[in-house]
Amino acid sequence: IDARVDFVEHLGDAQIAHLSLASGESLLVRLSAEHARPHIGDAVCVRLPAPSRIHLFGADAAEQRLN
């Protein structure tokens, strides 16, 4: 999935990258601290892990988990 980095939260042992897709949708990706730190504006390609490791949420994440 091709995306662009909007913002990165550094949380010590992990990072949360806020990404924008070409469709205009947003995607949040958790990265371990060992990954290179992406920078705002970087073009990135996201590869999805095994389905058992993906957590999908609807627009109201507090209310609806999709998997």
Side-chain angles (χ1 to χ4, degrees):
I1 300 171
D2 293 325
R4 184 152 316 272
V5 178
D6 293 327
F7 180 74
V8 181
E9 296 179 71
H10 302 284
L11 306 174
D13 66 337
Q15 308 171 76
I16 304 294
H18 296 248
L19 309 176
S20 291
L21 306 180
S23 66
E25 294 178 297
S26 298
L27 179 67
L28 274 65
V29 177
R30 181 186 180 276
L31 305 169
S32 67
E34 294 93 34
H35 282 90
R37 292 185 175 191
H39 296 92
I40 293 172
D42 283 354
V44 295
C45 181
V46 178
R47 290 180 297 192
L48 300 177
S52 63
R53 298 197 56 183
I54 297 173
H55 301 284
L56 301 174
F57 296 89
D60 185 358
E63 297 291 329
Q64 180 183 18
R65 182 168 173 182
L66 301 177
N67 69 340

